[in-house]
Amino acid sequence: MIAQPFARPLYVMLKPASSQCNLACRYCYYLKPCAKDQVMDDALLERFTRQYLEAQTQHEVLFIWHGGEPLLRPRSFYEKALALQRRYACGHHIDNCLQTNGTLLDDDWCTFLKDNRFLVGISIDGPQALHDAYRRTRGGQPTWEMVMRGIHLLQKHGVEWNAMATVNRLNADRPETFYRFFKDIGCQFLQFTPVVEHSQGQVADYSVTPTQWGQFLCRLYDEWVRHDVGSVFVQTFDATLANWAGEPPGVCSLSSMCGHAAAMEYNGDVYSCDHFVRPQHLLGNIRQHTLTEMLYGQRQQTFANVKHQGLPQQCRECRFLFACHGECPKNRFLTDRYGQPGLNYLCAGYLQFFNHVARDMDFIKAELDAGRAPMNIMTHQS
């Protein structure tokens, strides 16, 4: 019998078109050669849908369509996916989330997404000059205008969407401009992901620096907390408050353990995490093993526990360990002050941010504990 230790929902990022993409973003960690016929077939889609629903321990189930670029698959593929979800639902409430670069959206796609209640994550890195610096087509052409056209179509059709922006060496120094841009285009839900890529000890020149990351978060927080608490939702701030209040943060990088978000390739290979699509983190193939066996099996439990077990002494002594839990293991490649490996590259930035917001987080937690509104922090600020 397979143990099922996770009380929170399990997620699997589906790669129906593998790494195929019409863009070639410079910092993309998933960009690799991929043949056009490397796409998920209908039989595998059905096998996954049935097993994914069977593996869930929660009533609410989320299907996450990822890439590459998932809109390279036709609408007929997603129509089959929705039909299979209805067939195997067995009382589950099912939602769908699709992450796209937005350049392939048209009226027909947006009608489909609206009619079927998809939540759409749009990858956009801020104003035109900042976005186009790294997010280009395979032919080297800028993409900002195409992405903005896609956003306007989503808004026209009333599709629920959020922005998924990277924070890199270029845009990190302009957090206020960055943030106001998203407000100006009507985005209320923001996810900011720091770009950190390294190889053989060398950090890529487009990666955000720890100092930049800390200053970015602090300055953006100051802009947000004065005006927009309760009206604009920033994932990092929400997750920080959740950890402050002792609740699950809703984002894996700031959770106490990994293992809740696997990834499945077009051919059925299942990996421990989307950021660890490597041979040593291959859990198996869905054609030979069930998702329940792989997601709740010993290998995934070991992967989940390494996040805490691998913390260096400096992290274990930190008063903000509860707020970040060492952040994402993919970024833990430095040596701490005791000479122990496993310190997060962004540690100094997070430390600056947590020190900056600690008093406010204490206040907001107290307001929540008293049954009052978190937005009272805006009055408290003045």
Side-chain angles (χ1 to χ4, degrees):
M1 180 177 294
I2 303 296
Q4 297 191 0
F6 299 133
R8 284 175 285 174
L10 281 176
Y11 303 110
V12 176
M13 290 187 178
L14 282 173
K15 312 282 188 174
S18 189
S19 62
Q20 292 182 46
C21 189
N22 58 322
L23 304 189
C25 302
R26 187 178 173 203
Y27 52 69
C28 181
Y29 64 89
Y30 197 61
L31 191 64
K32 58 184 180 181
C34 180
K36 290 185 177 181
D37 61 351
Q38 290 182 340
V39 295
M40 187 178 297
D41 62 39
D42 293 350
L44 187 63
L45 175 63
E46 180 168 4
R47 183 185 293 261
F48 172 83
T49 303
R50 175 173 53 81
Q51 291 191 17
Y52 188 53
L53 288 163
E54 290 174 349
Q56 298 292 336
T57 61
Q58 307 288 309
H59 174 65
E60 307 284 336
V61 179
L62 181 64
F63 282 74
I64 305 173
W65 306 95
H66 213 267
E69 174 49 56
L71 293 188
L72 288 173
R73 299 306 311 274
R75 280 187 299 279
S76 58
F77 172 83
Y78 295 99
E79 289 167 352
K80 292 173 185 175
L82 294 170
L84 289 168
Q85 290 174 13
R86 291 190 292 269
R87 181 187 304 175
Y88 294 110
C90 293
H92 287 291
H93 176 83
I94 299 173
D95 289 307
N96 286 272
C97 174
L98 185 144
Q99 183 175 343
T100 174
N101 59 46
T103 62
L104 301 178
L105 289 168
D106 57 22
D107 284 304
D108 289 339
W109 265 119
C110 290
T111 298
F112 171 82
L113 295 168
K114 173 62 175 179
D115 290 346
N116 293 286
R117 299 181 295 106
F118 273 67
L119 169 64
V120 177
I122 293 285
S123 297
I124 179 170
D125 286 351
Q128 186 168 8
L130 298 177
H131 174 94
D132 283 340
Y134 294 133
R135 299 189 63 83
R136 300 232 163 201
T137 67
R138 291 185 174 274
Q141 298 303 306
T143 63
W144 187 84
E145 290 185 354
M146 291 188 288
V147 178
M148 287 303 301
R149 176 180 177 276
I151 288 174
H152 292 323
L153 285 170
L154 291 173
Q155 293 170 326
K156 169 186 170 183
H157 289 271
V159 180
E160 187 177 355
W161 69 284
N162 59 36
M164 309 178 78
T166 68
V167 181
N168 53 61
R169 189 74 59 93
L170 181 63
N171 62 22
D173 292 330
R174 301 172 65 182
E176 295 88 0
T177 299
F178 204 48
Y179 179 65
R180 291 166 191 165
F181 163 78
F182 289 108
K183 285 182 60 179
D184 288 345
I185 65 172
C187 184
Q188 294 180 285
F189 299 91
L190 304 172
Q191 297 181 35
F192 296 120
T193 301
V195 172
V196 179
E197 296 297 328
H198 69 103
S199 177
Q200 299 179 339
Q202 296 295 315
V203 178
D205 61 4
Y206 48 74
S207 296
V208 65
T209 70
T211 299
Q212 281 184 313
W213 180 237
Q215 292 175 349
F216 174 87
L217 290 177
C218 291
R219 289 167 57 185
L220 192 144
Y221 174 83
D222 289 344
E223 180 80 10
W224 171 80
V225 79
R226 284 194 293 265
H227 309 291
D228 300 317
V229 178
S231 59
V232 177
F233 301 89
V234 180
Q235 186 185 55
T236 304
F237 302 159
D238 287 348
T240 298
L241 177 58
N243 276 335
W244 231 267
E247 298 292 334
V251 55
C252 59
S253 61
L254 299 183
S255 297
S256 61
M257 61 188 299
C258 296
H260 298 276
M264 192 179 87
E265 276 282 4
Y266 76 98
N267 63 353
D269 284 344
V270 179
Y271 293 86
S272 290
C273 172
D274 182 49
H275 287 283
F276 290 88
V277 181
R278 306 167 187 164
Q280 63 268 37
H281 297 291
L282 176 64
L283 298 175
N285 189 285
I286 196 173
R287 290 188 171 96
Q288 286 81 46
H289 306 280
T290 68
L291 282 175
T292 298
E293 290 172 336
M294 291 184 284
L295 299 181
Y296 296 108
Q298 186 58 53
R299 292 190 65 186
Q300 188 69 341
Q301 290 183 51
T302 299
F303 177 82
N305 292 329
V306 161
K307 181 171 187 179
H308 177 75
Q309 294 171 351
L311 288 170
Q313 187 65 26
Q314 184 174 329
C315 288
R316 296 179 185 275
E317 294 177 353
C318 180
R319 72 186 184 101
F320 294 122
L321 176 60
F322 73 93
C324 79
H325 300 285
E327 212 248 0
C328 182
K330 81 177 183 67
N331 297 331
R332 286 159 56 168
F333 53 86
L334 298 184
T335 301
D336 76 354
R337 60 172 172 262
Y338 298 103
Q340 295 183 1
L343 183 69
N344 197 292
Y345 168 79
L346 295 172
C347 174
Y350 277 110
L351 186 61
Q352 179 184 1
F353 171 64
F354 294 141
N355 273 307
H356 186 72
V357 303
R359 187 172 297 177
D360 283 359
M361 290 294 153
D362 288 340
F363 176 86
I364 298 174
K365 180 181 182 301
E367 293 296 284
L368 289 170
D369 290 343
R372 295 189 290 266
M375 62 186 63
N376 290 340
I377 185 65
M378 291 190 289
T379 305
H380 183 69
Q381 286 285 313
S382 60

